[in-house]
């Protein structure tokens, strides 16, 4: 059995939805279909999720919602009309949105926002199920509440409660036909709607694939495969072949550093369950795409991908004879922990300790507080904070036990006139990280691509 997830671009209009139905019907193993909210119909269009966010803000501000509501309903009505699905499904969607809006005074703003955002996927799943039936295929909409998708944590950034796996497995143990499942959200134990963070529908698909022990999790998007680097930076990458296969940990490393095909959280459920992930293109369904799996055949000395991500800063603590102070690193991290800041990397020297954190968690006002706390706790000689840092990740199983890979990267950057502020390699040798200035990002990616994929 296969679990298939289709993103917003795959469901933006009636023509795209027909492609989705054709793809699913072409393979009887495709039994569970996870859907996103309708995306942009063209580059100047607005995603339904963004329309719903605007609608929620209008309601929270106490303003009239008629126009904003009509704009959302119109997107579904347009698809229903073109697919000749009748008026009933549109009336059902409109009634659902109205009932959600009526909750504005009964819920906290974050709860209400999640309730409205989730309506995009929820109502699209209902419409898609009706579209399958109109094509003569038995299909049904499945509610995350009824099937046991239990979430916990913050609204807008929820995580899965592990009890969900058994509930979902039981819910899908006896079903026939095609199940259309909305991505992006679930329900708390208290029965409130909560959404996953970025890439929420990918996470839903991965969770369902793990719960039902699928043979493969197919993630359909708008690219033929995963490219070795960002084609917006290196246009020539489109002229070559995409990545045919990659391992879970290669994908995890690349997703962490900004690979846009998958949010890193979306990989975890399938990885733990050892479910292969196949990234494919809705518009070119004959293409095999990129298969992500536990292992792959590796050529020594090769790299699978280069990723880059902005938005980091580096806290540098210097103190003479730091290495003789037992517990120095623990006390440093404790100061960050007390301020609710997690760290990304922690390279060190004999008399210096660097802590890389995401810049969004260290605003200027908090920076002064952190520095004061570190001075009090550690009595350092110097503390500096370096901002506007970009992290480069060079990733590949083929780098393991291969000498000269880091040297090759450093030489490429040096030849391009790009200086490095930090280098860090994980113990697995499947990747290494290089920190550079933000303004050097594009040049660095191009230089590394030329060096490793020339």
């Amino acid at each position: 059995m296969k679990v298939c997830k289709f993103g917003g671009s795959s469901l933006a209009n009636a023509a795209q939805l027909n492609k989705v139905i054709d793809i699913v019907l072409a393979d009887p193993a495709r039994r569970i279909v996870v859907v996103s909210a309708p995306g942009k119909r063209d580059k100047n269009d607005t995603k339904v999720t963004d329309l719903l966010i605007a609608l929620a803000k209008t309601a929270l501000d106490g303003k009239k919602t008629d126009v904003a509501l009509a704009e959302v309903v119109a997107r579904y009505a347009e698809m229903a009309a073109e697919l000749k699905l009748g008026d009933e499904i549109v009336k059902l969607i409109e009634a659902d949105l109205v009932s959600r809006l009526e909750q504005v005074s009964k819920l906290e703003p974050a709860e209400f926002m999640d309730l409205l955002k989730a309506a995009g996927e929820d109502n699209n799943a209902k419409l898609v199920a009706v579209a399958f039936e109109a094509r003569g295929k038995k299909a049904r909409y499945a509610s995350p509440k009824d099937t046991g998708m239990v979430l916990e944590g913050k609204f807008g950034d929820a995580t899965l409660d592990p009890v969900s796996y058994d509930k979902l497995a039981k819910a899908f143990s006896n079903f026939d036909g095609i199940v259309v499942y909305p991505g992006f959200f679930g329900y708390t134990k208290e029965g409130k709607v909560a959404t996953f963070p970025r890439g929420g529908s990918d996470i839903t698909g991965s969770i369902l694939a793990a719960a039902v022990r699928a043979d493969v999790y197919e993630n359909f998007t708008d690219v033929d495969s995963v490219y070795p680097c960002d084609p917006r930076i290196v246009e020539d990458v489109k002229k070559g072949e995409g990545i045919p296969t990659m391992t879970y940990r290669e994908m995890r490393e690349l997703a962490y550093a900004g690979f846009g095909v998958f949010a890193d959280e979306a990989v975890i459920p399938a990885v733990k369950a050892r479910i292969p992930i196949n990234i494919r293109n809705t518009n070119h369904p004959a293409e095999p795409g990129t298969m992500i799996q536990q292992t792959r055949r590796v050529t020594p000395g090769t790299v699978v991908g280069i990723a880059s991500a902005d938005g980091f800063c580096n806290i540098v603590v210097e103190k003479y004879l730091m290495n003789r102070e037992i517990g120095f690193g623990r006390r440093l991290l404790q100061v960050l922990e007390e301020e609710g800041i997690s760290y990304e990397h922690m390279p060190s020297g004999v008399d210096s300790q660097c802590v890389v954190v995401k810049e969004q968690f260290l605003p200027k006002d908090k920076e002064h507080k952190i520095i004061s706390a570190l001075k009090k706790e550690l009595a350092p000689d110097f503390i500096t904070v370096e901002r506007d840092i970009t992290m480069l990740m060079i990733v590949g199983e083929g780098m393991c036990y291969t000498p000269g890979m880091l040297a090759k990267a450093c030489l490429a950057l040096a030849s391009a006139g790009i200086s490095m502020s930090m280098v860090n390699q994980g113990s697995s040798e499947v990747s290494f990280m290089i920190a550079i200035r933000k303004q050097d990002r594009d040049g660095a990616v191009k230089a590394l691509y030329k060096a490793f994929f020339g």
Side-chain angles (χ1 to χ4, degrees):
M1 181 175 64
K2 296 179 179 179
V3 172
C4 312
K5 177 263 175 180
F6 292 90
S9 61
S10 301
L11 298 160
N13 53 38
Q16 288 296 98
L17 178 49
N18 270 326
K19 292 179 185 178
V20 168
I21 296 173
D22 289 339
I23 289 169
V24 175
L25 297 183
D27 188 346
R30 292 171 177 144
R31 304 279 303 283
I32 301 176
V33 180
V34 179
V35 300
S36 296
K40 292 183 177 183
R41 294 163 293 189
D42 56 65
K43 64 180 181 179
N44 297 316
D45 198 15
T46 304
K47 299 177 182 178
V48 165
T49 300
D50 291 338
L51 293 177
L52 287 165
I53 290 172
L55 174 60
K57 289 179 178 177
T58 300
L60 287 168
D61 290 340
K63 299 177 181 177
K64 290 186 177 181
T65 59
D66 298 10
V67 174
L69 173 62
E71 194 172 2
V72 176
V73 174
R75 287 294 300 274
Y76 294 103
E78 179 184 275
M79 287 196 289
E82 291 183 24
L83 295 168
K84 297 179 172 59
L85 302 182
D87 295 334
E88 283 303 312
I89 183 61
V90 180
K91 291 178 181 177
L92 179 69
I93 291 170
E94 184 172 14
D96 175 77
L97 290 168
V98 170
S99 68
R100 291 173 191 252
L101 287 170
E102 290 172 350
Q103 301 297 310
V104 65
S105 61
K106 302 174 185 178
L107 299 173
E108 293 295 323
E111 298 172 358
F112 180 72
M113 181 61 73
D114 268 14
L115 181 66
L116 262 291
K117 286 193 298 183
E121 279 74 11
D122 200 30
N123 286 304
N124 206 30
K126 296 170 186 174
L127 186 146
V128 172
V130 173
F132 269 106
E133 291 183 327
R135 291 275 294 268
K137 184 66 177 178
K138 185 176 182 180
R140 67 178 175 90
Y141 156 83
S143 164
K145 186 174 186 178
D146 296 337
T147 53
M149 184 71 75
V150 183
L151 305 191
E152 57 188 5
K154 298 179 180 179
F155 289 94
D157 192 25
T159 56
L160 186 75
D161 186 323
V163 302
S164 299
Y165 286 110
D166 288 339
K167 291 177 180 290
L168 291 166
K170 185 177 180 180
F172 288 101
S173 59
N174 293 306
F175 71 94
D176 57 354
I178 293 169
V179 174
V180 184
Y181 202 93
F184 187 44
F185 76 97
Y187 286 79
T188 66
K189 290 180 179 178
E190 294 74 31
K192 294 180 179 180
V193 172
T195 64
F196 290 113
R198 183 179 67 93
S201 293
D202 291 333
I203 299 173
T204 300
S206 187
I207 289 168
L208 292 182
V212 303
R213 308 300 300 180
D215 297 311
V216 64
Y217 168 36
E218 293 183 322
N219 190 289
F220 283 87
T221 180
D222 55 3
V223 294
D224 287 344
S225 62
V226 179
Y227 291 116
C229 69
D230 191 338
R232 293 170 297 182
I233 297 176
V234 183
E235 292 184 3
D236 286 348
V237 73
K238 294 181 180 179
K239 299 176 183 178
E241 295 183 359
I243 303 170
T245 59
M246 60 197 311
T247 64
Y248 293 131
R249 61 178 182 172
E250 286 174 331
M251 188 67 230
R252 174 71 176 91
E253 296 277 358
L254 290 169
Y256 162 77
F259 247 47
V261 176
F262 246 145
D264 53 351
E265 298 96 332
V267 181
I268 297 171
V271 168
K272 289 183 176 179
R274 300 293 188 265
I275 308 296
I277 303 168
N278 192 191
I279 297 175
R280 305 184 68 167
N281 192 341
T282 304
N283 301 311
H284 302 138
E287 295 294 328
T290 296
M291 185 68 78
I292 307 168
Q293 53 203 29
Q294 180 68 18
T295 60
R296 68 178 180 90
R297 183 174 293 179
V298 174
T299 302
T302 58
V303 164
V304 75
I306 301 161
S308 59
D310 297 330
F312 293 90
C313 61
N314 187 23
I315 303 171
V316 184
V317 181
E318 299 179 62
K319 187 175 184 180
Y320 187 60
L321 298 178
M322 175 192 296
N323 62 314
R324 296 188 184 181
E325 283 194 39
I326 297 173
F328 190 92
R330 175 188 57 77
R331 287 184 287 141
L332 193 163
L333 293 178
Q334 186 172 348
V335 170
L336 297 181
E337 180 184 353
E338 289 171 354
E339 289 298 321
I341 299 175
S342 61
Y343 74 97
E344 306 294 320
H345 304 277
M346 197 172 177
S348 65
V350 176
D351 296 321
S352 66
Q353 184 74 64
C354 303
V355 184
V356 180
V357 301
K358 288 186 176 178
E359 205 159 18
Q360 68 188 84
F361 301 130
L362 193 69
K364 286 289 186 179
D365 56 338
K366 185 173 282 191
E367 176 185 323
H368 297 303
K369 186 176 181 181
I370 291 290
I371 290 176
S372 297
L374 289 173
K375 287 179 177 179
K376 181 179 179 181
E377 179 65 35
L378 303 173
D381 297 327
F382 301 99
I383 297 180
T384 55
V385 176
E386 301 169 349
R387 292 185 175 271
D388 294 326
I389 290 176
T390 289
M391 292 297 177
L392 302 172
M393 294 291 291
I394 296 89
V395 180
E397 300 278 357
M399 297 197 300
C400 298
Y401 313 114
T402 304
M405 299 299 288
L406 180 57
K408 190 174 183 178
C410 293
L411 179 60
L413 295 177
S415 299
I418 297 170
S419 61
M420 302 172 292
S421 60
M422 187 192 313
V423 177
N424 190 27
Q425 182 173 30
S427 58
S428 67
E429 296 187 47
V430 73
S431 69
F432 54 84
M433 177 273 292
I434 298 175
I436 61 171
R437 295 173 301 178
K438 180 180 178 180
Q439 61 263 36
D440 292 331
R441 176 181 181 176
D442 288 7
V445 173
K446 290 176 182 177
L448 291 171
Y449 178 76
K450 183 177 180 180
F452 288 104
F453 297 97

